[in-house]
Amino acid sequence: MLITRISIILISMLYSVNLFAQTKVDVIAVEYPPFLTLSKKNYGTSIELLNKNKLTSNFSWVPLFYPPARANKLVYSGRWCASFYPPPPSENIIRYTLSEENVRIGLARLHQPVEFFWQSISELKSHSISLLRSSDKSDFINRLKSENISINYVESVVEAIDMVLSGKVDYAMIDNIAFNELAEKNRLQFSSSYFFETQIDIYFNKQCEQLKPLIESIPLKD
């Protein structure tokens, strides 16, 4: 009788463990502090928000850090489930916002005594910009090239900033939050103009079987 009771308890415990076990999902990421970084235990603000979000907290998210060129190839392959690296537009992709706080994407340069702004991208003509590697098919990249702006691809934001500090390029593309985290920001100047505003988003692939319960629970936008 005692053995039977112990067996029932063990089975119940095993069932409970399976019931509440979190599904592990790999997330494509690139080094972009403070949002995504291997230098922090929580892997950065974006992963922290992902783990705390009501819809996504039932999953165990495993950030896999890649160089930008590799991340770009992966999202174009379609063989992935979740990514912080923007994939090409597709009806199979869901963009899910983790934070409504606006992030401004602009430029950093060596500090100068005058305001750093522009009204048109054409004003940046014949200058050089370092930025994270992305697809050459990007409309934004093509626009920069059309203005005779020299593009220098790098593998991290830190590398982009180092190129500005060393005088190898004129500007580095960066956002306002990441800029404020820079150790060398006193030597630099963030632009008052910016290319665009965005939120902290993650992308889900509808073709991923692991994410079907999550994708079905995401409310449709009007």
Side-chain angles (χ1 to χ4, degrees):
M1 187 72 174
L2 179 60
I3 294 176
T4 301
R5 287 180 179 176
I6 292 174
S7 297
I8 291 173
I9 292 172
L10 287 172
I11 291 171
S12 298
M13 289 175 65
L14 288 171
Y15 177 77
S16 297
V17 169
N18 289 329
L19 183 64
F20 294 103
Q22 291 183 315
T23 301
K24 287 188 176 182
V25 182
D26 293 339
V27 186
I28 296 172
V30 297
E31 189 71 22
Y32 194 96
F35 301 103
L36 296 164
T37 179
L38 286 167
S39 65
K40 292 186 177 181
K41 290 183 179 180
N42 65 358
Y43 299 112
T45 307
S46 295
I47 297 295
E48 187 176 11
L49 287 171
L50 185 62
N51 288 326
K52 290 180 177 179
N53 188 275
K54 290 181 180 180
L55 286 180
T56 58
S57 60
N58 291 328
F59 291 80
S60 176
W61 303 98
V62 182
L64 300 180
F65 285 81
Y66 297 97
R70 176 62 176 156
N72 187 61
K73 287 183 179 179
L74 285 171
V75 294
Y76 267 84
S77 74
R79 297 188 296 274
W80 55 278
C81 286
S83 175
F84 281 109
Y85 189 92
S90 169
E91 60 182 12
N92 290 321
I93 305 300
I94 290 181
R95 179 178 177 178
Y96 183 67
T97 298
L98 296 171
S99 172
E100 296 296 337
E101 180 183 2
N102 286 340
V103 179
R104 294 182 175 182
I105 311 299
L107 295 174
R109 71 178 182 187
L110 290 174
H111 193 274
Q112 296 182 21
V114 294
E115 186 180 1
F116 181 20
F117 74 98
W118 63 87
Q119 293 181 324
S120 170
I121 291 179
S122 61
E123 295 175 42
L124 303 174
K125 187 175 182 178
S126 300
H127 287 79
S128 55
I129 299 176
S130 58
L131 70 162
L132 289 179
R133 188 176 298 278
S134 62
S135 171
D136 286 330
K137 299 177 182 178
S138 162
D139 290 338
F140 177 70
I141 296 299
N142 289 333
R143 174 70 194 283
L144 293 179
K145 288 181 176 179
S146 71
E147 297 293 347
N148 197 31
I149 296 172
S150 176
I151 305 297
N152 294 265
Y153 290 120
V154 295
E155 302 302 323
S156 70
V157 174
V158 172
E159 187 180 347
I161 292 298
D162 284 344
M163 290 188 74
V164 173
L165 292 171
S166 62
K168 294 179 180 178
V169 297
D170 299 306
Y171 313 124
M173 187 174 293
I174 192 171
D175 68 83
N176 58 312
I177 296 176
F179 179 84
N180 287 329
E181 296 284 329
L182 294 174
E184 301 281 357
K185 72 175 183 178
N186 289 336
R187 294 177 56 193
L188 299 162
Q189 183 178 17
F190 186 72
S191 60
S192 54
S193 302
Y194 51 93
F195 295 116
F196 49 88
E197 280 187 310
T198 185
Q199 291 88 34
I200 298 178
D201 297 323
I202 187 170
Y203 300 86
F204 298 129
N205 189 344
K206 291 182 181 180
Q207 296 177 318
C208 176
E209 290 293 328
Q210 289 175 286
L211 292 183
K212 278 196 171 180
L214 170 62
I215 289 171
E216 290 172 356
S217 67
I218 295 177
L220 296 175
K221 294 183 178 180
D222 296 331

